[in-house]
Amino acid sequence: MTTPRFDIIGQALSDASRTRMLCELMEGRSFTNKELASAAGITAQTATAHLRMLQNAGLVLAEKRGRCVFHRLANAEVAGVLEQLAAIAPSSHLHLAQRRKAGDIAQLRSCYDHLAGPVAVALTGKFLDRDMLIEENGGFRACGHEIWQKLGVCLPQRPSAAEARQPFARPCMDWTERRLHVSGPLGKQILAHFFDQGWVTRNSHKRGLQITGLGSRALQEILDLHCEELINA
């Protein structure tokens, strides 16, 4: 039996500068060594050593584009694990403290390639209430419903081998809300549609998002979701 090397992951996450760089990559974009060094407040040389450790741990990938080398999270699974690690706490009273710590990104943000925050949690609740999602064996199963099309979602007809390994809809523990939001290909389609329709825009923080008036009206009409109440709560 092969023993998972948790010690390698633990060592990679044990430095504050490395975790700051990982958080910068949680948006799903790629950044250069210098950009990540600036975000972490360290020198480019130090950032190079940190990124090498993160790569060796399987958390980050480096890709050469022209003269520059760009770094990104290895995959959506890494982003999901990092989001859930941020939520680890023994007591629910830390919920508001987590919101304060998150600052401008607490209310609505991107978690790699899907939505996170109160709106994302409320969306997932609406999906469950309408049997668009079914909780099953600790995961989510997406069921056919006319609303999916209005949200830009195309459900898979027949699960492929890849989809069997990575479910179409996956639960992700929300860092600030301490409740589940939906991730996986389903969550990716929803966020992409929200951007395409102009329902959300990016704010000054790379991961932070803002719901537009158009998006607020659309979600109220489609799902009876009142975004302003959620964001201002």
Side-chain angles (χ1 to χ4, degrees):
M1 178 179 175
T2 303
T3 303
R5 292 297 305 272
F6 295 127
D7 56 314
I8 295 176
I9 301 296
Q11 185 178 13
L13 298 175
S14 65
D15 183 89
S17 296
R18 288 195 290 273
T19 57
R20 279 195 292 270
M21 289 192 288
L22 287 172
C23 288
E24 196 74 12
L25 295 171
M26 282 286 287
E27 180 193 358
R29 296 187 182 185
S30 300
F31 295 99
T32 65
N33 176 76
K34 289 185 178 180
E35 289 171 328
L36 291 171
S38 176
I42 55 179
T43 67
Q45 184 177 3
T46 301
T48 297
H50 285 325
L51 286 166
R52 188 177 299 115
M53 178 176 286
L54 293 173
Q55 290 172 38
N56 291 338
L59 302 177
V60 169
L61 291 179
E63 300 170 321
K64 190 170 184 179
R65 296 285 184 267
R67 294 184 177 182
C68 296
V69 176
F70 289 88
H71 305 270
R72 63 175 176 85
L73 290 187
N75 49 50
E77 285 70 28
V78 170
V81 169
L82 293 175
E83 179 82 1
Q84 293 186 51
L85 283 174
I88 291 176
S91 304
S92 60
H93 75 274
L94 292 178
H95 160 61
L96 292 178
Q98 291 295 82
R99 275 201 176 189
R100 289 193 296 271
K101 187 186 300 182
D104 292 340
I105 67 170
Q107 303 301 334
L108 187 63
R109 62 190 182 277
S110 59
C111 175
Y112 192 69
D113 58 1
H114 61 272
L115 285 168
V119 173
V121 169
L123 271 173
T124 302
K126 292 290 186 180
F127 299 156
L128 291 168
D129 290 343
R130 286 166 169 73
D131 293 329
M132 298 165 65
L133 286 181
I134 303 293
E135 289 192 81
E136 192 174 76
N137 299 322
F140 287 150
R141 176 168 57 87
C143 302
H145 200 289
E146 60 182 9
I147 289 179
W148 286 128
Q149 185 176 3
K150 298 178 181 179
L151 298 174
V153 172
C154 181
L155 298 183
Q157 297 301 311
R158 293 182 178 178
S160 64
E163 289 166 344
R165 293 192 299 271
Q166 179 182 331
F168 181 69
R170 294 190 300 133
C172 182
M173 178 61 69
D174 198 278
W175 168 38
T176 56
E177 302 310 296
R178 304 309 174 92
R179 295 167 60 195
L180 296 175
H181 62 243
V182 66
S183 65
L186 173 60
K188 182 177 181 178
Q189 287 187 31
I190 290 173
L191 179 57
H193 185 72
F194 279 29
F195 276 128
D196 290 343
Q197 298 299 310
W199 292 357
V200 296
T201 58
R202 297 195 182 277
N203 65 18
S204 57
H205 192 286
K206 293 183 177 65
R207 286 185 64 196
L209 302 174
Q210 289 181 322
I211 191 86
T212 65
L214 181 63
S216 184
R217 290 190 295 272
L219 291 177
Q220 184 171 348
E221 178 182 336
I222 296 170
L223 286 166
D224 193 30
L225 189 68
H226 298 270
C227 296
E228 291 184 3
E229 295 178 7
L230 293 166
I231 291 174
N232 295 325

